[in-house]
Amino acid sequence: MSHRAAADAASPFPPDIAFALLPPGGAEPPLLPEERGLLSARALPERRGEFARGRACAREAMARLGFADAPRQPILRAGARAPRWPEGLVGAISHSHGWAAAAVSWRRLYTGVGLDVERPHSAKPSLLDRIGLPEEADWLDSVPPAGRPRAFALLFSAKESIYKALNPASGVFLGYHDARVAFPQDVADATAKAPESAQRAESALPIASGRFRWHLLRDSGPAFPSGYRGDGGYVLFAERVITGVWVRA
Ligand SMILES: CC(C)(COP(=O)(O)OP(=O)(O)OC[C@H]1O[C@@H](n2cnc3c(N)ncnc32)[C@H](O)[C@@H]1OP(=O)(O)O)[C@@H](O)C(=O)NCCC(=O)NCCS
């Protein structure tokens, strides 16, 4: 499978959102000079590496989208940590223990794009209370035990993707209980599908993919009132989950 076909298979997004994924390994990609100052001089090598790999994915996604001069476009920062995309673009970056990914599209098509990569986690009760609503905890209970770490990661990841899609546009902070995520019934079986040993731990070959729905339980600025509904996509791997959220313009 070509690099491009592999990225397309791993994308949780519709085709008009360009996606790039970098599994662990290989040399650290170069940062552009304008980006080097965004990292603290005391940043640990792990942080430097994930920052550089996220920026490399962003440029690859921009090139796939057909954005002019993508390899020379620095991705600076808007506000505290959100990426500042070149004029006309909207997107998101995520990294997780060696994996990095980015998604980019045209601002005339999308108001917000969110992306998150997570490792499977066990849902300790205190963590589940912090992240999940009662209906989401019930859904997690319905998942076969072997699938719960991936299912919990999906829930957590979906919420971070919602935040990344909305926060840059709204400027409003949302907590984990401010949005409700609903996965279709077949996700429960998919999360348990691949026995851990049958897949290489770091394999970027997807096991399953699909869509989910979400809605807000509080206002996130005038454009996103309480009750606002949106779409998302997910892709499951042996040792990662990826979610994406998009808000059409
Ligand atoms: C900001 C946050 C979502 C980042 O997620 P994370 O799992 O810690 O880290 P990830 O690797 O997935 O993402 C980090 C990237 O997100 C991007 N990012 C940071 N803040 C962002 C924001 N406010 N909006 C959009 N993107 C943001 C950056 O590109 C960052 O990478 P970089 O610093 O290398 O450029 C998370 O730390 C957070 O604050 N969450 C609390 C809010 C929340 O998720 N609420 C749920 C609402 S339902």
Side-chain angles (χ1 to χ4, degrees), residues 47 50-51 54-55 77 80-83 91-96 115-118 156 158-165 167-168 173-179 216:
R47 173 63 184 138
E50 67 171 26
F51 185 77
R55 260 59 191 170
R77 275 208 192 107
R81 268 186 72 198
I93 294 173
S94 182
H95 14 67
S96 168
L115 166 69
D116 190 67
V117 186
E118 290 292 331
F156 183 44
K159 294 199 175 198
E160 299 229 314
S161 285
I162 293 168
Y163 182 76
K164 289 184 190 175
N167 175 261
F173 181 80
L174 284 177
Y176 293 102
H177 289 180
D178 292 334
L216 294 181

Side-chain angles (χ1 to χ4, degrees), residues 79-144:
R81 268 186 72 198
R84 186 193 307 154
W85 297 95
E87 191 65 31
L89 298 185
V90 62
I93 294 173
S94 182
H95 14 67
S96 168
H97 306 272
W99 287 46
V104 182
S105 193
W106 304 107
R107 198 169 273 285
R108 64 185 154 77
L109 300 181
Y110 291 93
T111 303
V113 169
L115 166 69
D116 190 67
V117 186
E118 290 292 331
R119 284 199 296 198
H121 299 251
S122 62
K124 294 202 181 90
S126 58
L127 190 56
L128 182 56
D129 277 355
R130 194 161 78 82
I131 305 299
L133 295 160
E135 305 91 319
E136 293 163 343
D138 289 346
W139 167 73
L140 203 61
D141 272 347
S142 76
V143 173

Side-chain angles (χ1 to χ4, degrees), residues 10 12 19 21 99 115-117 157 233-235 237 240-244:
F19 176 75
L21 174 68
W99 287 46
L115 166 69
D116 190 67
V117 186
S157 176
Y234 71 86
V235 184
F237 303 83
R240 293 291 185 285
V241 308
I242 299 183
T243 61

